[in-house]
């Protein structure tokens, strides 16, 4: 019997037993005799290492929540917080934690979208006023409370019509618009206590997995990138697998800021910028204008 025939024979025997096979990636199969079980339980059964650092799993090549059930033959791989895929999941989940905090502190704020981006995340909100830098410490403190509470991320599915009605009842107009534009028969939501968000996932098992984050700045952003739509309030943050990585990132930003040309120009009395006339417009000081003139003369003379 060749390898392929042996594999299918094994699967038939397993099926006849009312069981199924699971394995770690590139490792032998193990029969699970009672199912379905969660992805995490299967990984524990397979004695996968470092599960305390896992934020999700790869199941037959697809990223999935650790809480998702497995009821058929599966090849599994834990996804850790400090790898690229794990960091993206962690950052996306942190954006949900921030949205939870904002909704707790500003109940009338409406949620829109909150993706992971390089080094962090953002979330756009519709609120009666733009969020300000001074709001960030308060939001960050509320996020820490939510992390400490270790609230589970619970995935549920609804029909598109059910999800639209669900968010409409909560006054979340932007979510209703997204669901209707998606036009999908079924959509997934993630629940954290009273907070709910439209999302494909996957997500970390619970808010307690968020270990290191910092809110950075606020900005304006048009809904869906069109100036014809409402201006939203965007909050940016960074998130990492641990405090050491977060501190290293913030240190790099601090060092880069010291070498920022706008800051150096003002410190050396060369030029300045003023929001009243345009933040990107350079106003030359006498010393800066002289230096610029000398450099231009040098360039002309060397050609």
């Amino acid at each position: 019997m060749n390898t392929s025939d042996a594999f299918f024979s094994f699967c038939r025997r397993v099926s006849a037993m009312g069981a199924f096979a699971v394995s770690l990636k590139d490792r032998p199969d193990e029969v699970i005799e009672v199912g379905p079980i969660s992805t995490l339980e299967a990984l524990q059964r397979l004695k996968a290492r470092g599960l305390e650092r896992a934020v999700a799993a790869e199941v037959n090549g697809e990223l999935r929540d650790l809480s998702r059930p497995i009821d058929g033959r599966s090849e599994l791989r834990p996804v850790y917080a400090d790898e690229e895929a794990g960091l993206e999941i962690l950052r996306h989940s942190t954006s949900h934690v921030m949205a939870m905090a904002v909704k707790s502190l500003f109940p009338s704020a409406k949620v829109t979208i909150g993706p992971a981006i390089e080094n962090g995340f953002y979330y756009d909100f519709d609120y009666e006023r733009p969020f300000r830098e001074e709001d960030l410490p308060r939001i960050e403190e509320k996020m820490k409370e939510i992390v400490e509470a270790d609230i589970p991320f619970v995935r549920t599915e609804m029909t598109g019509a059910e999800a639209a009605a669900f968010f409409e009842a909560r006054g979340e107009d932007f979510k209703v618009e997204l669901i209707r534009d998606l036009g999908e028969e079924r959509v997934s939501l993630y629940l954290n206590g009273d907070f709910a968000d439209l999302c494909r996932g996957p997500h970390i098992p619970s808010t307690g997995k968020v270990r290191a984050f910092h809110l950075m700045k606020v900005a304006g952003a048009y809904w869906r990138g069109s100036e014809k739509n409402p201006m939203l309030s965007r909050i940016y943050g960074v998130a990492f697998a641990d405090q050491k990585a977060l501190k290293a990132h913030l240190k790099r930003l601090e060092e880069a800021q010291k070498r920022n040309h706008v800051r150096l120009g003002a410190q050396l009395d060369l030029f300045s910028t003023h929001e009243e006339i345009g933040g990107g417009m350079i106003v030359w000081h006498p010393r800066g204008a002289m230096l610029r003139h000398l450099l231009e003369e040098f360039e002309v003379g060397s050609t």
Side-chain angles (χ1 to χ4, degrees):
M1 183 182 296
N2 61 36
T3 303
S4 178
D5 290 339
F7 171 75
F8 287 112
S9 175
F10 171 78
C11 288
R12 284 193 293 271
R13 292 198 308 274
V14 166
S15 179
M17 294 162 54
F20 55 92
V22 295
S23 67
L24 291 176
K25 191 170 183 179
D26 302 324
R27 300 274 290 277
D29 289 317
E30 178 172 332
V31 176
I32 301 294
E33 296 177 1
V34 179
I37 63 173
S38 73
T39 303
L40 178 59
E41 288 170 332
L43 287 167
Q44 290 169 337
R45 173 80 173 261
L46 294 167
K47 296 181 173 56
R49 297 179 179 178
L51 289 180
E52 70 281 356
R53 296 184 291 107
V55 294
E58 194 177 272
V59 182
N60 297 328
E62 176 189 357
L63 291 172
R64 296 179 63 171
D65 304 315
L66 287 170
S67 60
R68 291 279 294 275
I70 293 176
D71 56 7
R73 192 199 181 283
S74 302
E75 184 180 71
L76 311 178
R77 184 184 73 83
V79 175
Y80 300 107
D82 55 357
E83 62 178 281
E84 185 176 353
L87 268 175
E88 184 171 351
I89 292 167
L90 178 68
R91 287 164 177 161
H92 186 188
S93 298
T94 308
S95 80
H96 280 232
V97 172
M98 181 174 71
M100 292 169 64
V102 169
K103 288 290 288 184
S104 176
L105 295 170
F106 309 94
S108 62
K110 296 183 179 182
V111 292
T112 63
I113 58 170
I117 56 175
E118 184 179 7
N119 295 321
F121 58 91
Y122 70 78
Y123 211 114
D124 290 344
F125 302 93
D126 183 38
Y127 190 51
E128 60 198 39
R129 64 163 175 83
F131 287 119
R132 300 184 286 259
E133 299 287 341
E134 50 266 36
D135 294 320
L136 300 188
R138 187 179 171 204
I139 295 170
E140 193 166 310
E141 281 304 310
K142 178 57 70 173
M143 289 175 69
K144 291 176 182 177
E145 292 177 17
I146 292 168
V147 169
E148 184 67 25
D150 198 23
I151 304 168
F153 277 82
V154 179
R155 178 189 170 93
T156 187
E157 291 189 2
M158 299 181 182
T159 66
E162 288 170 340
F166 174 83
F167 282 109
E168 190 167 19
R170 298 167 75 98
E172 298 291 359
D173 310 334
F174 296 93
K175 295 296 181 182
V176 175
E177 180 181 330
L178 285 173
I179 292 165
R180 289 177 176 161
D181 285 354
L182 282 172
E184 295 183 2
E185 185 176 337
R186 296 190 67 80
V187 296
S188 57
L189 284 67
Y190 280 82
L191 312 177
N192 301 89
D194 295 332
F195 178 77
D197 208 347
L198 175 72
C199 191
R200 288 191 174 92
H203 279 286
I204 58 179
S206 63
T207 60
K209 286 280 188 180
V210 175
R211 304 286 173 81
F213 65 90
H214 182 62
L215 300 185
M216 301 296 293
K217 62 179 180 178
V218 296
Y222 288 112
W223 169 235
R224 308 186 91 166
S226 172
E227 68 276 7
K228 297 178 182 178
N229 291 334
M231 173 66 78
L232 305 173
S233 209
R234 177 173 294 182
I235 302 177
Y236 286 96
V238 293
F240 290 87
D242 54 48
Q243 286 290 333
K244 182 179 179 181
L246 173 64
K247 289 177 181 178
H249 177 75
L250 295 177
K251 183 67 175 177
R252 286 192 296 271
L253 292 180
E254 182 184 337
E255 292 300 319
Q257 184 62 27
K258 291 177 182 177
R259 299 187 293 273
N260 182 279
H261 70 280
V262 174
R263 182 174 180 177
L264 289 173
Q267 287 178 341
L268 299 173
D269 194 24
L270 300 176
F271 61 83
S272 57
T273 60
H274 304 271
E275 288 295 332
E276 310 89 79
I277 61 174
M281 183 173 291
I282 296 296
V283 178
W284 292 101
H285 298 185
R287 293 178 63 185
M290 176 59 72
L291 178 60
R292 176 181 175 179
H293 173 72
L294 292 173
L295 289 171
E296 289 174 345
E297 287 290 305
F298 175 78
E299 185 177 3
V300 170
S302 63
T303 56

